[in-house]
Amino acid sequence: MTSLFNNYARRPISIVKGQGTIVEDQTGKSYLDFTSGIAVTNLGHAHPAIVEALQKQSEKLWHISNLFESPAQEKLAEALVADTPLAHAFFCNSGAEANEAAIKLARKHTQKHVIITFEKSFHGRTFGAMSATGQDKVKQGFGPLLESFRNVPFNDIEALKSAAGDDTAAIMIEVIQGEGGVNVLDQAFSDAIKEICEEKGILLIVDEVQTGISRTGTRYAYEQTSLKPDIVTLAKGLGNGFPIGAMLGSQEMFETFGPGSHGTTFGGNPLAVSAAQKVTDIAFEKAFIDEVNEKSEYLLQLLQPILDSGAVKAVRGKGLLLGIECNTEDASGIVQKAENAGLLLVPAGPSVIRLLPPLTVTKQELEQAASILKTIIPSTVSTAPE
Ligand SMILES: *Cc1c(COP(=O)(O)O)cnc(C)c1O
């Protein structure tokens, strides 16, 4: 028996400490953490500069609420919207909350209610974000859901064209579907979205909760596409493990979120903002992002022999958000074998394993992870039933 709800399929180890890419469990066994807490600890565990920022802030002020001005929030907002089509930020505590804010802002701004989302998308577990999500397993048993989300196949231009109408407030999309299997937006689909949004006056919400904060080799993943977002949502990597989310919106929407229109008690809390400010100071540096891209190329090179051997179907993704599509629907079996061998991974659907190392991972750690994968993936294939 447990005094916790059973809503997570927990693995039977407990991680007690971490440093950089390495974590240690309760028995003293250490692992390479290629989950980063699901794309959260992008700068590794216990990053000294973030520890220092939090420690300093914790001695000054923990919480004061949004009743008062916040120069620290202003500064972080400026850093997040710099050199983007966005101009303003709203801070909250999670990805789902950022998406709720985006849904509310888009509906209030356009006075329309339909939001188009995509099959296999994931936007969070609150009622609006769950209704937006394109996976039945997430919604099972909770109906009736919110109406007015229209779910269409990802990368299907014709389906999108027929779904977009006069009632449509926004299109909401992940540039790479993280939970849905590391599925990458096509160039042609990106161009079509841009065109449809411009033609019909539809807003574009890009959910960068998993892809944002340099994870894919640019500050935001949309920067590698033709998309021009009106709204961007962030969370996961923004606080390196300290809970914080953000919704960024364009200049035009400033008036729509006037005083009293939306809010949250903890949003933009001084501790969270101090962590996120340090994260963005580091992760938005050009030299840092260049390294992410070098590491990505190196990891792809290391994985190439596994792909060439036919042991896996495909390697997808960008930057350090990579997915390996296996030949069987046994991603969780491979994840288990990797864990036994000292490498923590996370599945993305039944047949894809996700590699999410911290962006600070070393080349040597990438080599270690690849050699573990080489030993476990072929053995999984040869023992798997047809
Ligand atoms: C994880 C995730 C969310 C939900 O974030 P929470 O902080 O768990 O609420 C939303 N969108 C995407 C793309 C995600 O990966």
Side-chain angles (χ1 to χ4, degrees):
M1 269 307 274
T2 161
S3 15
L4 294 172
F5 268 111
N6 203 23
N7 57 316
Y8 301 107
R10 293 175 188 271
R11 304 194 214 161
I13 55 171
S14 91
I15 302 299
V16 293
K17 61 180 176 185
Q19 185 70 57
T21 309
I22 310 295
V23 294
E24 195 179 301
D25 74 9
Q26 79 281 14
T27 69
K29 178 174 173 182
S30 57
Y31 305 83
L32 287 165
D33 180 9
F34 274 44
T35 69
S36 298
I38 319 186
V40 169
T41 52
N42 282 2
L43 301 181
H45 296 279
H47 189 292
I50 304 167
V51 170
E52 191 195 350
L54 255 181
Q55 272 173 349
K56 277 198 178 148
Q57 185 58 47
S58 74
E59 287 163 11
K60 276 201 270 182
L61 183 73
W62 284 29
H63 181 80
I64 192 66
S65 101
N66 290 301
L67 292 169
F68 305 98
E69 281 190 352
S70 173
Q73 283 186 23
E74 291 275 356
K75 182 172 176 222
L76 178 59
E78 261 172 49
L80 293 173
V81 302
D83 305 313
T84 73
L86 311 158
H88 306 287
F90 161 79
F91 291 108
C92 54
N93 313 286
S94 70
E97 268 185 54
N99 285 334
E100 292 293 334
I103 293 162
K104 285 178 70 173
L105 180 61
R107 286 176 67 147
K108 187 158 188 266
H109 189 73
T110 59
Q111 293 294 298
K112 295 177 181 178
H113 63 281
V114 170
I115 296 183
I116 295 174
T117 64
F118 297 92
E119 288 176 7
K120 297 191 181 164
S121 62
F122 183 79
H123 299 295
R125 302 282 192 162
T126 54
F127 235 90
M130 171 178 66
S131 301
T133 291
Q135 301 185 48
D136 287 341
K137 67 174 187 194
V138 170
K139 308 192 245 194
Q140 207 73 53
F142 296 112
L145 301 174
L146 294 184
E147 291 168 13
S148 81
F149 287 96
R150 209 167 274 159
N151 207 236
V152 306
F154 193 58
N155 285 331
D156 184 334
I157 296 175
E158 288 315 310
L160 178 62
K161 275 190 181 155
S162 46
D166 292 338
D167 56 359
T168 309
I171 294 171
M172 183 167 174
I173 192 162
E174 297 158 88
V175 173
I176 301 177
Q177 293 183 326
E179 302 304 309
V182 192
N183 308 312
V184 182
L185 177 73
D186 284 349
Q187 179 69 45
F189 198 57
S190 167
D191 295 346
I193 290 174
K194 184 162 185 278
E195 216 181 282
I196 292 167
C197 285
E198 276 168 11
E199 209 179 278
K200 306 205 167 166
I202 294 172
L203 297 176
L204 177 61
I205 304 169
V206 181
D207 179 343
E208 296 255 11
V209 169
Q210 187 153 162
T211 51
I213 319 299
S214 307
R215 171 56 61 184
T216 67
T218 42
R219 294 174 308 166
Y220 306 113
Y222 83 79
E223 293 176 291
Q224 296 172 57
T225 70
S226 53
L227 298 179
K228 186 175 171 289
D230 301 285
I231 299 176
V232 162
T233 56
L234 300 170
K236 293 197 165 92
L238 182 55
N240 208 55
F242 203 98
I244 178 168
M247 179 198 62
L248 313 178
S250 69
Q251 173 94 63
E252 282 158 52
M253 280 179 279
F254 183 70
E255 300 292 336
T256 308
F257 259 15
S261 55
H262 191 56
T264 163
T265 300
F266 290 135
N269 167 289
L271 291 171
V273 168
S274 71
Q277 182 66 53
K278 190 53 79 177
V279 168
T280 44
D281 286 350
I282 297 168
F284 280 8
E285 281 282 332
K286 186 181 177 300
F288 181 90
I289 293 175
D290 288 346
E291 273 186 35
V292 172
N293 287 305
E294 280 167 32
K295 289 170 190 176
S296 172
E297 272 170 41
Y298 189 54
L299 181 55
L300 287 170
Q301 262 176 41
L302 293 167
L303 297 174
Q304 191 64 39
I306 303 180
L307 188 58
D308 291 341
S309 75
V312 299
K313 272 199 193 125
V315 178
R316 291 194 293 267
K318 296 253 166 74
L320 291 173
L321 166 47
L322 298 179
I324 301 178
E325 177 153 22
C326 304
N327 286 326
T328 62
E329 295 219 328
D330 187 32
S332 41
I334 295 175
V335 166
Q336 183 59 56
K337 283 189 181 175
E339 180 185 303
N340 298 345
L343 172 64
L344 301 182
L345 301 170
V346 59
S351 61
V352 177
I353 55 176
R354 226 176 330 170
L355 305 182
L356 289 165
L359 308 181
T360 52
V361 67
T362 65
K363 287 195 165 175
Q364 197 201 349
E365 288 162 346
L366 293 176
E367 288 161 9
Q368 287 167 356
S371 86
I372 291 174
L373 286 169
K374 258 177 228 165
T375 58
I376 59 170
I377 289 181
S379 70
T380 306
V381 169
S382 61
T383 56
E386 277 304 300

